[in-house]
Amino acid sequence: MSKPKIAIFDFACCEGCQLQIVNLEEELLDVLGGADVVEWREAMSEKSDEYDIAIVEGSITRLEDEERLKLIRSRAKVLIALGACATIGGINKLKNNFDLDEVKTCVYGKDAQKPHLATELTKALDEVVPVDFYVHGCPIDRKEFTYIVRCLLLGKTPEIPEYPVCVECKAKGNPCLWEYGQVCLGPIIRAGCGARCPSNGFRCFGCRGYIDNPNVDAAKDVIEKYGLSVEQLKTKMVLFGSQQEPTIHE
Ligand code: SF4
Ligand code: SF4
Ligand code: SF4
């Protein structure tokens, strides 16, 4: 039986999630040993239009990106969104809070109107094409990536947490950062990172995106308990929450 073919692509991003894959070092050979990697710009020069699994990093910010992504989707049986830029639009979606002409002028100055610098509102991959699996985080968690790829190569469906970061944080016995005046987004953000930030004294800033069904009442109770408003909480959600559906309403 021939090995499944994997291709790795990138759009607008810092390529930090691909770097996490490269950093797997020897484990990378073990994980991808059950597949043929046929294209991966960051690590090899070969290219191919034939692949079974497309792993796509980055968000979509130009019309030509949309066309390229649709082509990738049409060739792949399975499409994996890699990292927050791809899964939720990531930091790149901050741009969507401003007028696009203002953004372009701020970045490119007098050259802003040159055609090759045209830009559009940032989109996550699933705003353009269907996505089969998501590797969340900015950057991704290497263990979660290897788990998802191994599952797919074994024909299994990976299970991604459907509960909030607080669950992992409490399980580690961390003191809650709200007690120390930090507005932590753990109650509404998808777990799976092992509560990486709160375990190191930093608030969760939401890089894994919102859980599908957050306990909004419990989140409101926490906000009220610490004397904050929903509006104050929303200011903390801008970094990774711009133009995601707001999950907490007044
Ligand atoms: S999700 Fe974060 S680390 Fe990954 S490519 Fe985007 S900005 Fe870079
Ligand atoms: S520190 Fe954050 S993640 Fe941990 S329990 Fe408190 S709100 Fe939840
Ligand atoms: S704690 Fe929050 S911000 Fe930190 S890695 Fe996990 S989901 Fe991302």
Side-chain angles (χ1 to χ4, degrees), residues 112-138:
Q113 298 311 319
K114 288 188 175 174
H116 69 286
L117 299 176
T119 189
E120 301 291 326
L121 290 175
T122 298
K123 294 177 181 169
L125 300 190
D126 62 8
E127 293 176 76
V128 180
V129 298
V131 169
D132 299 301
F133 297 100
Y134 297 82
V135 189
H136 294 284
C138 176

Side-chain angles (χ1 to χ4, degrees), residues 133-195:
F133 297 100
Y134 297 82
V135 189
H136 294 284
C138 176
I140 57 160
D141 182 280
R142 289 200 291 266
K143 275 191 194 153
E144 190 175 41
F145 172 78
T146 57
Y147 162 71
I148 290 172
V149 171
R150 281 199 172 103
C151 281
L152 293 179
L153 294 180
L154 291 169
K156 295 180 178 172
T157 304
E159 289 180 17
I160 306 300
E162 251 309 325
Y163 46 82
V165 173
C166 287
V167 173
E168 292 175 334
C169 189
K170 296 285 186 200
K172 287 192 164 177
N174 295 333
C176 182
L177 293 169
W178 283 77
E179 297 284 353
Y180 298 90
Q182 292 198 44
V183 180
C184 178
L185 300 184
I188 52 174
I189 298 300
R190 185 183 310 279
C193 60

